[in-house]
Amino acid sequence: MATDAVAQLADSLAKTQVTEGELSYKGQGRKFDNAQSVEEMVKEIQEFKGLQALRLEGNTYGVEAAQAIAKALETKSEFKYCYWSDMFTGRLRSEIPPALNSLGAALMTAGARLTVLDLSDNAFGPDGVKGIEKLLKSTACHTLQELRLNNCGMGIGGGKILAAALTECYKQSSAQGTPLGLKVFIAGRNRLENDGATALAQAFQLMGSLEEVHVPQNGINHPGVTALATAMQHNPQLRVLNLNDNTFTKKGAIAMAQALKHLRSVQVINFGDCLVRSEGAIAIAEAITEGLPILKELNLSFGEITGEAALLVAQSVEGKATLEKLDLNGNCLGEEGCDALREVMDGLNMGDLLGSLSDDEGEPEDDEDEEEDDEDEEEDDYEEEEDDDVEEEDSSVNQVSSPLSVPRPPDASSFLCFPSPDKLLKLGTKRALLFEQQVDVADAGKTAEAFLKISSVYNEEDKDVKSAVLDSIDAILRKAFASPTFQGYNFISSLLVMLGLLKSEDKVKPVRVVPGHLQALEYVVRQDYFPQDHIAVLEAFMSRHIQALESCSSARNILKSTLEQVRPEN
């Protein structure tokens, strides 16, 4: 028994990084209820010259004990490191705020300048945050570099209090010429949810100094994820981003992918169990392809990602010399998808960097019957649209018979509602301008929809129609891709979803794929405005055996050949 205790103590000491100026009581498992119980500790603190760090974790302290320790700290002006995690086990929640208040007040009295404040695993809730609110706002925290509040049960209210305190600290420290430069923020398992995360995001954006952000398991959905993504763009030195076990969905994943495009120092990305899904994974893959030159770890496990999207993620890490691990376990690849993924990674000489795929969920259930039903419904829709078109034209003819009626001029919106070659030609030589004015190119989804509408009337044999289609598409896409805010990966993702080649979390009814869609796309990928980063995405999907593309095999083969030719050299 004694041997076990010695071994445990030795292990505890081995894990404790004792540095110069540090006094440690870590992991002793002792219960300190009152001032008498900490007399020896207080004496050691008082007698320790140049005390910089105090480790209290792994014990439990009552209010009187904390007040006695605080009194001893009031003269320690060189104090920098508070390792005070897991120090209230078994205490009433009402005891924690006054204990923290006493310790914080002592540091302020001492004129300490903190570097690390670790209060993780204390489960003190919003009231506990109030207990450190004054400390966080004080000059003692103007120098704070690491704030660790993992598993504290802060909740939304605590998150908001914390965000306000950090914001105040930043403003006051900036006014004194030494702005708060927080580098590490850890707050996993705190039930921050969207409102708490959004409040903190505003503080993060203001500071702009973060290098590590860990907020796993906080019940954050896409609004909170999007707010954090925006904030991360303003933290250019960010190295580690851990949002494991929150819920991105497509919207959050695309927002985070956009943020990653602005960051060059990121080394570790943990979006495991975040439900990024295939569309989100594609967006993240494109962001990685475009940047993140020193990426070491990428975790997109358990995200409902399909095989094709996983292959694009794998291709995105090509040339990342610093990569150490790619985790795509627990997704929806299927046996063939897993084999294909391993083959791609082996081809990149990165096979040993791919994590286990033992928990793969298998391919999504086959929806071919549903897709066939959708195609039948789509045909009915086309017939109804044509009937409506005829009725509209008949109505116009009847109106002409009246001496007071005037024929309606060509209308781009009318064409986009019911596309036809004749309508396109009737728009005249200014058709490209009309489409530019009609289509909101700031919306990637609407731009993709307009592309499909216009290209659906493409006719290789009719030179006038062919020219009209390509000129119109050129005008819209050149304008779209020229905008620095245009989300190109969202355009490609929307295009694939609308063509029925990629499943979406949104209930999007795919169009019936016609050769014109692929023929126009073949033209577009050869243009100078089309980003080369999107080539690999299209090539991966055009290589699939998909029923929707079978009727367009010739156009698909031509498109595949062109994609191979224009593929950028690595």
Side-chain angles (χ1 to χ4, degrees):
M1 196 76 170
T3 304
D4 291 341
V6 171
Q8 186 176 0
L9 178 59
D11 181 62
S12 178
L13 289 172
K15 293 178 181 177
T16 303
Q17 297 179 350
V18 180
T19 59
E20 185 179 357
E22 178 177 292
L23 187 57
S24 178
Y25 301 93
K26 180 180 179 181
Q28 296 181 6
R30 299 172 64 182
K31 186 177 182 182
F32 301 102
D33 292 324
N34 49 42
Q36 185 178 358
S37 65
V38 291
E39 279 183 355
E40 184 179 347
M41 185 186 300
V42 166
K43 183 180 179 182
E44 290 178 346
I45 293 172
Q46 290 172 337
E47 294 177 352
F48 198 116
K49 294 182 179 180
L51 182 65
Q52 295 185 26
L54 179 62
R55 289 187 175 274
L56 298 175
E57 65 262 56
N59 302 290
T60 178
Y61 303 84
V63 176
E64 288 185 17
Q67 289 172 341
I69 295 170
K71 188 68 177 176
L73 289 172
E74 287 182 353
T75 60
K76 303 301 177 181
S77 61
E78 298 178 42
F79 196 78
K80 296 180 181 179
Y81 306 99
C82 303
Y83 297 110
W84 298 345
S85 64
D86 188 22
M87 56 181 283
F88 297 114
T89 301
R91 300 292 172 183
L92 295 174
R93 182 168 288 188
S94 59
E95 293 182 80
I96 301 175
L100 291 174
N101 265 318
S102 298
L103 291 166
L107 298 178
M108 289 186 277
T109 300
R113 294 291 184 270
L114 297 184
T115 299
V116 176
L117 177 58
D118 185 356
L119 289 165
S120 297
D121 301 316
N122 279 313
F124 47 47
D127 290 340
V129 184
K130 292 179 182 178
I132 59 171
E133 186 177 7
K134 290 181 180 179
L135 174 63
L136 288 171
K137 291 179 178 180
S138 74
T139 56
C141 285
H142 286 187
T143 53
L144 194 64
Q145 294 185 16
E146 297 185 18
L147 179 58
R148 301 172 180 267
L149 296 168
N150 200 57
N151 191 30
C152 287
M154 290 189 289
I156 295 173
K160 289 182 175 180
I161 295 169
L162 177 61
L166 289 173
T167 299
E168 183 65 23
C169 181
Y170 178 81
K171 289 180 178 178
Q172 289 188 14
S173 59
S174 296
Q176 295 181 17
T178 55
L180 172 65
L182 191 68
K183 294 181 179 180
V184 178
F185 180 86
I186 300 176
R189 299 182 66 185
N190 270 292
R191 306 193 311 275
L192 294 172
E193 301 182 17
N194 290 331
D195 289 348
T198 299
L200 285 166
Q202 293 170 352
F204 296 162
Q205 183 168 332
L206 191 64
M207 291 186 291
S209 56
L210 288 167
E211 296 180 8
E212 293 188 28
V213 174
H214 303 261
V215 285
Q217 293 183 311
N218 268 294
I220 306 171
N221 298 325
H222 75 81
V225 172
T226 299
L228 288 169
T230 301
M232 293 306 101
Q233 293 183 39
H234 297 269
N235 288 265
Q237 301 306 313
L238 189 70
R239 294 184 294 105
V240 179
L241 185 56
N242 176 9
L243 278 85
N244 188 282
D245 200 9
N246 290 291
T247 307
F248 282 36
T249 62
K250 179 184 74 172
K251 292 180 180 179
I254 288 176
M256 197 58 74
Q258 180 66 24
L260 291 174
K261 288 190 173 186
H262 295 266
L263 302 169
R264 302 285 296 174
S265 301
V266 172
Q267 298 178 17
V268 178
I269 297 173
N270 187 345
F271 297 159
D273 205 13
C274 283
L275 212 64
V276 299
R277 296 200 169 116
S278 295
E279 292 170 275
I282 290 172
I284 292 169
E286 290 198 0
I288 293 170
T289 300
E290 292 181 19
L292 305 183
I294 56 174
L295 184 66
K296 289 184 177 180
E297 294 183 21
L298 174 61
N299 184 349
L300 295 178
S301 59
F302 298 94
E304 293 191 2
I305 300 169
T306 57
E308 295 77 15
L311 291 179
L312 292 170
V313 172
Q315 291 167 358
S316 74
V317 301
E318 182 176 6
K320 308 295 180 186
T322 56
L323 190 73
E324 297 175 358
K325 185 176 181 181
L326 172 62
D327 191 348
L328 287 166
N329 198 18
N331 283 299
C332 306
L333 312 186
E335 187 176 345
E336 291 184 4
C338 289
D339 290 341
L341 180 60
R342 293 189 187 99
E343 184 178 342
V344 168
M345 291 299 286
D346 286 339
L348 298 175
N349 294 320
M350 291 179 162
D352 58 333
L353 306 183
L354 180 64
S356 170
L357 298 174
S358 59
D359 294 319
D360 186 73
E361 297 286 344
E363 292 185 75
E365 292 184 9
D366 191 0
D367 293 331
E368 285 185 3
D369 293 337
E370 183 180 333
E371 289 175 2
E372 288 176 2
D373 291 339
D374 285 344
E375 287 176 8
D376 292 338
E377 291 174 12
E378 193 73 35
E379 288 177 6
D380 293 339
D381 288 345
Y382 271 106
E383 290 173 2
E384 290 173 8
E385 289 173 2
E386 290 171 1
D387 291 340
D388 290 341
D389 198 13
V390 170
E391 290 174 7
E392 181 182 279
E393 291 176 359
D394 289 342
S395 175
S396 297
V397 170
N398 292 335
Q399 288 176 3
V400 170
S401 63
S402 170
L404 298 177
S405 63
V406 178
R408 287 191 304 175
D411 187 348
S413 62
S414 175
F415 168 85
L416 291 173
C417 289
F418 308 110
S420 73
D422 185 54
K423 277 187 178 181
L424 183 63
L425 294 177
K426 285 182 178 178
L427 290 176
T429 57
K430 293 185 177 181
R431 66 179 68 87
L433 179 61
L434 293 174
F435 282 124
E436 280 190 59
Q437 295 171 341
Q438 181 65 34
V439 178
D440 179 11
V441 296
D443 188 318
K446 290 180 180 178
T447 304
E449 184 179 6
F451 169 84
L452 293 177
K453 292 277 190 178
I454 298 170
S455 61
S456 68
V457 303
Y458 182 95
N459 187 342
E460 186 70 32
E461 304 301 323
D462 190 325
K463 292 183 179 180
D464 291 338
V465 173
K466 175 182 175 180
S467 178
V469 167
L470 298 184
D471 287 348
S472 301
I473 287 172
D474 248 346
I476 295 172
L477 295 189
R478 189 176 294 278
K479 180 180 177 181
F481 283 111
S483 170
T485 59
F486 185 68
Q487 297 183 341
Y489 48 80
N490 202 356
F491 168 78
I492 295 296
S493 177
S494 298
L495 205 60
L496 294 171
V497 168
M498 292 176 189
L499 288 171
L501 309 183
L502 177 66
K503 290 185 178 180
S504 172
E505 63 193 54
D506 303 322
K507 293 183 178 180
V508 177
K509 187 175 182 180
V511 302
R512 179 175 55 184
V513 184
V514 296
H517 292 143
L518 306 186
Q519 290 167 324
L521 195 54
E522 189 273 336
Y523 166 81
V524 167
V525 299
R526 291 187 277 113
Q527 306 311 304
D528 58 0
Y529 56 75
F530 190 81
Q532 291 190 324
D533 293 331
H534 301 333
I535 299 295
V537 179
L538 291 174
E539 192 173 6
F541 280 87
M542 288 302 118
S543 300
R544 289 179 59 194
H545 297 290
I546 302 174
Q547 184 178 0
L549 297 177
E550 287 182 1
S551 62
C552 310
S553 57
S554 177
R556 179 177 67 172
N557 290 337
I558 293 172
L559 175 56
K560 281 174 59 179
S561 176
T562 300
L563 289 169
E564 290 174 5
Q565 293 172 19
V566 300
R567 182 199 305 150
E569 294 294 333
N570 295 310

